[in-house]
Amino acid sequence: MKLKTLGATLVAFTLSLTAAQAADPADSLLTPDNHTLLLIDHQPQMAFATKSIDVAELRNNTVGLAKSARLFEVPTILTTVAAESFSGRIFPEIQDVFPEQAPIDRSTMNTWEDDNVVDVIEETGRKKIVMAGLWTEVCIVLPALSALQEGYDVYVVTDASGGVTDEAHDMAVQRMIDAGATPITWVQYLLELQRDWARGETYAGTLEIAKEHAGGYGLGVIYAEQMFNAKEGQ
């Protein structure tokens, strides 16, 4: 009996060590406290020429992304180019997510060449940057390459960004990948921040964003709640 008890104890101890090791997430994963979100030039004039993604889908995805950052209290920078003289103001649904925040308006196509933006990024002290905006081949690829050169880890939300053609968007994404950037999607971003359904403080908010903006997945959440009173992870 003593040998059996000792054996069981050793097995339990080994399993606990294995579980502890498996619980360490990859350093490359995004967390609410390790990155800054940078939303670039989601403006009417830029959207008019965007052809790589339907504009309605682009607006939905971008506001889902913005709401995700707001829910998890991620520092978010809104920036526009020539808002009053040419490109128009930031999409109103994005501004509604951050009503207290005035976008930083620029003249330069490369956001990274505007000190007002870079100063805010540096003040956060975070070395990961998530970017999305219009157009991918200009206003995203330029700051992405610049930030990578400065030692930042760059993540590009490809379905909250768009180019003037499919090829323009795809080639820009490939160029950024080749330089070391990581492509992600907005739902991936939301769920990567939630990560564990036991995180009760953001559980309901995560599902509300999914239900409103995540298409079929969100509809599935609504159905499961209505029909079975089901919950994620439970």
Side-chain angles (χ1 to χ4, degrees), residues 1-30:
M1 291 295 292
K2 290 183 178 179
L3 287 176
K4 288 183 179 179
T5 301
L6 177 60
T9 300
L10 288 173
V11 170
F13 179 68
T14 301
L15 289 174
S16 69
L17 287 178
T18 302
Q21 292 170 353
D24 293 333
D27 291 338
S28 60
L29 292 180
L30 294 166

Side-chain angles (χ1 to χ4, degrees), residues 72 190-199 202-203 206:
F72 288 93
L190 170 64
L191 298 183
E192 193 163 325
L193 296 187
Q194 176 64 25
R195 195 86 57 79
D196 186 343
W197 293 118
R199 292 177 176 166
T202 51
Y203 175 86
T206 294

Side-chain angles (χ1 to χ4, degrees), residues 19-20 22 25 27 44 59 65 67 80 91 123 129 134 141-142 144-145 154 160 177 191 199 203-205 208 215:
D27 291 338
R59 294 175 68 184
L65 174 65
K67 287 181 178 179
T80 55
F91 294 169
E123 285 173 5
I129 304 175
L134 304 174
V141 72
L142 300 182
L145 296 179
V154 175
I177 291 173
L191 298 183
R199 292 177 176 166
Y203 175 86
E208 284 304 312

Side-chain angles (χ1 to χ4, degrees), residues 116-188:
N116 294 317
V117 177
V118 177
D119 287 348
V120 176
I121 293 173
E122 291 179 345
E123 285 173 5
T124 69
R126 303 180 178 199
K127 296 302 289 184
K128 296 182 187 296
I129 304 175
V130 176
M131 298 182 182
L134 304 174
W135 300 312
T136 319
E137 66 271 25
V138 181
C139 299
I140 298 301
V141 72
L142 300 182
L145 296 179
S146 300
L148 286 164
Q149 182 170 294
E150 293 298 319
Y152 286 85
D153 297 325
V154 175
Y155 300 72
V156 179
V157 188
T158 56
D159 61 352
S161 303
V164 298
T165 64
D166 288 344
E167 183 176 11
H169 173 81
D170 293 345
M171 291 303 98
V173 171
Q174 187 59 58
R175 183 181 180 187
M176 289 185 282
I177 291 173
D178 290 344
T182 300
I184 62 173
T185 61
W186 86 263
V187 172
Q188 178 185 353

Side-chain angles (χ1 to χ4, degrees), residues 24-53:
D24 293 333
D27 291 338
S28 60
L29 292 180
L30 294 166
T31 66
D33 59 1
N34 74 359
H35 74 283
T36 303
L37 176 64
L38 182 57
L39 299 180
I40 304 173
D41 302 352
H42 290 99
Q43 301 167 259
Q45 186 65 259
M46 308 301 292
F48 294 155
T50 297
K51 303 302 180 185
S52 66
I53 183 173

